[in-house]
Amino acid sequence: MGESTVTPLEGREQAVPHPVTAGTRRRRLDRLRTPRRPRLWFEILLVGVSYWTYSLVRNAVPEQRAEALRNADWIWRMEHHLGLAVEESVNHAVNSVTWLIVGMNYYYATLHFIVTLTVLVWLYRSHPGRYAATRLVLFATTAVALVGYYLYPLAPPRLMPGGDFVDTVMVHQTWGSMASGDLKHMSNQYAAMPSMHIGWSLWCGLTIFALASVPWVRILGLLYPAATLVVIVATANHFWLDAVGGVICLAFGFTVARVWYGALPYSLPRPAPPKTKRRGRPLLPTKA
């Protein structure tokens, strides 16, 4: 009789850990997917390491000059076939206005970083509940762009042999292009597709438009990627099709964030949810 009593208990003890383990894993996954208040030191470290890794990988991609030039020639012919080969005309028209093209050179060299970091800081301070998801969009966009640089090396218009494009940084001796002058040895010149100037600026523009409360600021958000498109074409650093590649990468980034968080970043709650406490068992969301 004693034996018959022990046997069910032993069987029960062996069966219990399985659903508990599965439940624990699910709760851990839910915690990872739950927006939380970002930690400043971690975000600074993450952004710094991520950009360093991005630059390292991008510049480590072999500079396949011959293939990059063939791809540039194919894109140029395709745009002519479509009747949309406008880059050379824009490049020459803007280059004829010295103050304008010099301003665009500096725009191309600086705002790419300044505006993106400013939007990240604004999100961190004003929209902590949406910060992690929106940041994930940016990171996923950048990550898939690295794949594009590896699989599809592309020369910018200014490096096309026999072309009539003007390298505006070289001509006007303005600082800023990592692909011109002495700085060209520090950057992969054949990583033009996709354009992360467009991917990042459109990320900034959409974020500002979706979350800013001041109407004129929202309008500026939409104008920023439009102005960036003009700049990358006018300075002969990209074809307009590179911009399309940047948009596709950004769409991938939004898809990743939508799948991970179950919602678009901008629809998540603005404040971060309260922290949960550990009391000898897996963390569970606190009730409101």
Side-chain angles (χ1 to χ4, degrees), residues 45-60 142 146:
L45 181 63
L46 180 63
V47 171
V49 171
S50 298
Y51 183 73
W52 175 80
T53 303
Y54 164 75
S55 300
L56 185 67
V57 174
R58 181 181 184 272
N59 296 334
T142 306
L146 291 174

Side-chain angles (χ1 to χ4, degrees), residues 134-172:
T134 312
R135 182 200 61 200
L136 177 60
V137 174
L138 182 65
F139 280 25
T141 298
T142 306
V144 76
L146 291 174
V147 178
Y149 299 148
Y150 182 83
L151 296 178
Y152 195 79
L154 179 68
R158 58 184 177 76
L159 291 182
M160 292 179 64
D164 198 24
F165 287 97
V166 178
D167 187 335
T168 59
V169 171
M170 292 292 291
V171 169
H172 298 280

